[in-house]
Amino acid sequence: ALAFAHSRGIVHRDVKPDNVMVGEFGEVYLLDWGIAARVGTVPSSICGTPVYMAPEMLSPGGPPLDARTDVYLLAAPLHECLVGAPPHRGTTLETVLFSIARAEPHPYGDDVPPDLVEVLHRAMAPTVDGRPPSMAAFRELLTEHLGHRSAAALATSARTRLEQLEDLVRVKP
């Protein structure tokens, strides 16, 4: 949906879990296009959901919005799936806004594969220049991770079988 919107010159600006719905047959819908804007729009005010916002969304008169803003916003719910919380947290709006402005890479736990951490850090880079340039590029990075995940699972399975065989060889008759 975002790649299509970008091809038509539109940036969503409010991608978050509440705006993503999955239908009965697995179809995915992106809802609430109320603050969508034209690609190239220079923000004139702060809008969006703060706990998911990209840093450039804080800067009225700042860099023009483009697909890379939505790349950040799409990575934010993935981040939340992995850690159980949105990327920007705080007890007050001021502390959340400060978190957005700092835009520090999140330290993920050992349970998150290093290549997925790299994908998230790229997609949520503090500046738009550090992010994948399009949804297609972001999707490609995620697809590569999924391919690596399959290879890692196969390697783990092979290690387990090898250990079982070694145990059998060590057993005395």
Side-chain angles (χ1 to χ4, degrees):
L2 288 169
F4 179 77
H6 298 158
S7 76
R8 299 294 191 253
I10 301 296
V11 182
H12 188 281
R13 299 198 305 171
D14 199 23
V15 179
K16 59 185 178 181
D18 287 348
N19 287 343
V20 178
M21 301 295 289
V22 179
E24 185 176 339
F25 301 103
E27 65 277 17
V28 178
Y29 299 98
L30 184 57
L31 308 176
D32 193 1
W33 292 79
I35 64 168
R38 291 215 117 330
V39 168
T41 296
V42 174
S44 58
S45 62
I46 296 174
C47 65
T49 304
V51 294
Y52 300 103
M53 286 174 75
E56 64 272 16
M57 296 173 74
L58 283 183
S59 304
L65 304 178
D66 63 20
R68 297 170 295 180
T69 301
D70 279 348
V71 164
Y72 186 104
L73 295 172
L74 187 58
L78 176 56
H79 166 93
E80 185 170 0
C81 288
L82 294 170
V83 301
H88 306 295
R89 293 178 262 180
T91 55
T92 66
L93 179 58
E94 182 179 77
T95 57
V96 171
L97 295 177
F98 183 70
S99 171
I100 298 165
R102 276 195 331 246
E104 295 175 343
H106 184 82
Y108 293 93
D110 292 339
D111 57 328
V112 180
D115 63 320
L116 183 55
V117 170
E118 176 61 29
V119 169
L120 285 168
H121 284 169
R122 284 185 62 194
M124 297 178 74
T127 63
V128 293
D129 293 336
R131 297 183 203 143
S134 66
M135 283 298 149
F138 182 41
R139 180 181 181 170
E140 186 176 318
L141 292 173
L142 289 172
T143 300
E144 285 177 27
H145 159 70
L146 292 174
H148 296 161
R149 187 175 72 170
S150 298
L154 183 60
T156 299
S157 173
R159 250 183 262 117
T160 301
R161 288 181 170 192
L162 178 60
E163 289 169 3
Q164 291 170 344
L165 285 171
E166 288 172 342
D167 287 344
L168 287 174
V169 170
R170 279 191 284 266
V171 173
K172 294 181 182 179

